[in-house]
Amino acid sequence: MRQSKPLLLFLIILLNVGIFNLKAFARKLFLGEVQVAADTTITASGLQAVGFDTSIFSRLDERIAAGNYGLLHRLLVVCNNKLVVEKYYNKWEEKRIHDIQSATKSIASALIGIAIDKKFIRSVNEKLPALLPGYDFRKEDSLKKSIRLKDLLTMSPGFAWDETTSYKEKGNSLTDMYASNINWLDYILTQNMTDKPGMRFNYNSGASILLGAILKAKTGMTVEKFAEKFLFESLGIGKYHWSEYFGMAHCGGGLYLSSRDMAKIGNLFLNKGRFNGNPIISSRWVRDSFVPRFGVSNKIYYGYQWWMIGSVFDFEPIVYAAGNGWQFIIVIKEFNTVIITTGNNYVEQDPKTTLSQHELIYSVLACNPAFRAKINRIFNDDKQVETRNFYEILLMAQALNSQGEYARAVKYLKPVEVKYKNDLRFCYLVGEAYHYTGNNEKAGIYLENCVRLCNEKKFPEAGYLRMANDLLAL
């Protein structure tokens, strides 16, 4: 049953994550697969049932409740197919469905995979004229006619499109399309070409919207009906809303789901397309979706409408669906874990958070004894901290501090104290470690520097600024 609610049309922010080699990433993601039970239904449980440290989670919970992660609405954690965390914040009610913004794109990609599995679409190499037979391509140039389904899935169709500016301003392609009152299909397909298709990643919600038009054209069903028949009903998803414009479902950011249903999507991909032992999406499509097709920056990769966090140390990469405002479906294959968040941390509004989703991910993982064991092994084996990239250094410091291993954190950070003294995250973490080892003089230097850096950057009274001031007041 679909629910009618107005849609906040904002798009995702890019994330700061670890660096990795493209081919090595693909190998690491698919070799040594995690074995899961045949029954992949999510069952309610508790932290202790999977061996999670409740004291570590309590500290994370307190920081979320204090606003240090901004206006977070929900946090769900599924581990080994057990729902071990289900928390709601800022007066958000459990039964309400939530806009998932651009995380919609990843679900649209899943529907494309199902359409290929069921032979509605031949392959990702089909080109636009075959995919949209009702559209007159005779006026379009040969470059546009050569756009493949794969190019839309990987945000590389070659259209002139710019979503790098604020969604409040003219010149942002998505905002301009909303304001145009032109049929979206016509608007997108009449954009000029700036690149050869498949050559360059350019974040483009228009490409995702075209996926919905293709699904409708090739299956003869609306996106909603196709999703209900082949995905939602199989997962037990009955309460949702998918916004429509000009007769098309908004596959760029128009879906509303409950957090539990978001978790089902994450668990489906974690378990290679199977739910309750039944294949819903082919394992091949799941695998292909998670292959890094483009390096978005030196730290971020993109697959078939899914984002990827690079490997740090020798941890396996993390894959996620991402929507503006902290709408995340995070799939962590190595630890058989799915993390779901929804929130109101929209980039168009004043900043509400200084702690990022990465701190949240690794704070959740720090509850897991398998993660802690691996971190401790890496700590014991790591003799060259100076050669580590900064993201790895922050991860190690946060993991050690989360475990209460403050003396070890000091030891790990000491060789790079001077090098990173002007990074506010580093200053907080090393200041926290010195504080709890009793070196108040050193702690004061770094915590005061953290406060100074936060104030210079005009960060809000949350996150690192608040936590640093709290420690200084003790």
Side-chain angles (χ1 to χ4, degrees):
M1 178 175 60
R2 292 178 288 163
Q3 304 295 305
S4 296
K5 289 181 182 288
L7 176 65
L8 297 172
L9 295 171
F10 299 117
L11 273 292
I12 72 169
I13 57 175
L14 296 180
L15 314 171
N16 281 325
V17 289
I19 303 172
F20 59 98
N21 175 274
L22 193 64
K23 291 182 179 178
F25 173 90
R27 289 196 302 270
K28 181 170 275 192
L29 194 56
F30 300 114
L31 296 178
E33 296 172 339
V34 175
Q35 298 298 312
V36 297
D39 185 353
T40 52
T41 302
I42 298 171
T43 57
S45 184
L47 289 166
Q48 289 105 329
V50 290
F52 275 30
D53 188 310
T54 56
S55 63
I56 293 175
F57 180 77
S58 293
R59 288 194 292 273
L60 170 62
D61 188 34
E62 289 169 3
R63 287 181 171 179
I64 295 172
N68 292 329
Y69 287 89
L71 290 177
L72 203 64
H73 289 157
R74 304 161 166 164
L75 171 64
L76 269 70
V77 179
V78 177
C79 183
N80 298 332
N81 304 312
K82 294 181 173 61
L83 180 60
V84 297
V85 173
E86 184 173 25
K87 297 286 293 186
Y88 295 85
Y89 305 93
N90 293 300
K91 300 180 180 179
W92 196 265
E93 297 173 2
E94 176 185 346
K95 294 182 180 180
R96 290 175 64 186
I97 57 176
H98 200 292
D99 58 318
I100 66 169
Q101 297 290 328
S102 286
T104 302
K105 293 175 168 70
S106 304
I107 295 171
S109 171
L111 297 177
I112 290 289
I114 292 172
I116 291 174
D117 291 341
K118 298 191 176 300
K119 311 301 182 185
F120 289 106
I121 298 172
R122 290 178 61 187
S123 78
V124 294
N125 291 313
E126 275 203 85
K127 296 178 181 178
L128 276 185
L131 294 166
L132 294 170
Y135 187 84
D136 186 359
F137 282 92
R138 289 176 298 176
K139 300 174 292 182
E140 305 300 340
D141 61 34
S142 58
L143 203 58
K144 191 172 293 182
K145 294 175 186 176
S146 71
I147 296 172
R148 302 165 298 173
L149 179 57
K150 179 189 292 186
D151 303 325
L152 299 176
L153 288 164
T154 57
M155 298 280 186
S156 61
F159 292 129
W161 194 274
D162 183 7
E163 284 188 55
T164 61
T165 58
S166 169
Y167 292 105
K168 290 182 177 181
E169 298 175 1
K170 290 182 179 180
N172 181 295
S173 297
L174 189 64
T175 302
D176 290 349
M177 184 181 74
Y178 291 154
S180 71
N181 202 31
I182 298 171
N183 181 291
W184 285 7
L185 185 61
D186 291 332
Y187 188 95
I188 296 163
L189 290 176
T190 54
Q191 297 301 302
N192 293 327
M193 298 292 291
T194 59
D195 296 283
K196 183 179 177 181
M199 297 302 293
R200 184 175 70 91
F201 175 91
N202 179 33
Y203 189 77
N204 183 338
S205 293
S208 305
I209 291 166
L210 287 182
L211 297 179
I214 290 166
L215 282 167
K216 187 175 182 180
K218 298 298 284 185
T219 68
M221 289 178 260
T222 65
V223 171
E224 299 97 315
K225 290 298 181 186
F226 186 82
E228 284 176 2
K229 183 174 182 178
F230 294 110
L231 181 62
F232 291 168
E233 286 182 3
S234 300
L235 300 180
I237 297 174
K239 184 178 182 181
Y240 76 97
H241 167 67
W242 208 322
S243 298
E244 290 185 2
Y245 298 87
F246 300 99
M248 293 191 303
H250 187 354
C251 287
L255 184 59
Y256 288 66
L257 289 172
S258 73
S259 49
R260 286 197 174 198
D261 288 339
M262 291 170 71
K264 291 176 184 177
I265 298 291
N267 220 45
L268 176 68
F269 274 82
L270 180 68
N271 292 314
K272 302 174 196 168
R274 301 181 73 86
F275 187 79
N276 197 19
N278 300 314
I280 310 299
I281 306 173
S282 69
S283 60
R284 178 178 180 178
W285 183 259
V286 173
R287 180 195 67 206
D288 289 349
S289 297
F290 289 177
V291 171
R293 309 287 174 169
F294 281 96
V296 179
S297 71
N298 65 342
K299 297 182 179 182
I300 306 171
Y301 284 71
Y302 201 71
Y304 285 171
Q305 306 276 292
W306 287 85
W307 298 89
M308 289 145 219
I309 297 176
S311 177
V312 291
F313 296 112
D314 59 349
F315 287 103
E316 295 184 19
I318 293 172
V319 183
Y320 58 95
N324 189 10
W326 273 57
Q327 329 312 325
F328 289 104
I329 302 172
I330 302 161
V331 180
I332 308 172
K333 174 176 165 286
E334 182 172 5
F335 297 102
N336 211 28
T337 295
V338 172
I339 300 173
I340 303 299
T341 68
T342 60
N344 191 37
N345 294 325
Y346 293 105
V347 295
E348 289 78 14
Q349 301 172 3
D350 292 333
K352 291 183 172 61
T353 177
T354 55
L355 288 178
S356 76
Q357 58 274 11
H358 303 289
E359 280 96 340
L360 182 68
I361 289 169
Y362 292 113
S363 291
V364 170
L365 286 178
C367 301
N368 188 324
F371 175 84
R372 294 198 304 276
K374 192 164 184 178
I375 275 287
N376 290 332
R377 177 183 60 75
I378 293 167
F379 173 85
N380 291 330
D381 293 344
D382 198 358
K383 310 302 182 187
Q384 298 292 328
V385 61
E386 297 92 336
T387 66
R388 291 292 186 185
N389 69 55
F390 186 49
Y391 189 81
E392 290 176 321
I393 291 170
L394 290 179
L395 187 161
M396 178 62 76
Q398 184 191 349
L400 292 172
N401 282 4
S402 295
Q403 298 176 57
E405 298 278 0
Y406 300 110
R408 300 176 87 191
V410 167
K411 180 179 178 182
Y412 191 82
L413 297 172
K414 197 172 185 62
V416 291
E417 279 186 16
V418 175
K419 185 176 181 180
Y420 297 116
K421 65 181 181 180
N422 289 319
D423 182 272
L424 66 92
R425 296 162 297 176
F426 180 86
C427 286
Y428 175 78
L429 290 167
V430 72
E432 180 184 39
Y434 274 123
H435 172 84
Y436 286 111
T437 55
N439 191 333
N440 292 327
E441 181 180 356
K442 277 274 196 177
I445 292 171
Y446 282 99
L447 293 171
E448 287 170 5
N449 203 33
C450 177
V451 169
R452 176 184 64 80
L453 290 166
C454 287
N455 286 329
E456 286 178 358
K457 293 177 182 293
K458 298 182 171 58
F459 279 152
E461 290 290 335
Y464 287 114
L465 178 60
R466 176 183 292 166
M467 293 190 300
N469 277 323
D470 287 348
L471 287 181
L472 286 168
L474 293 178

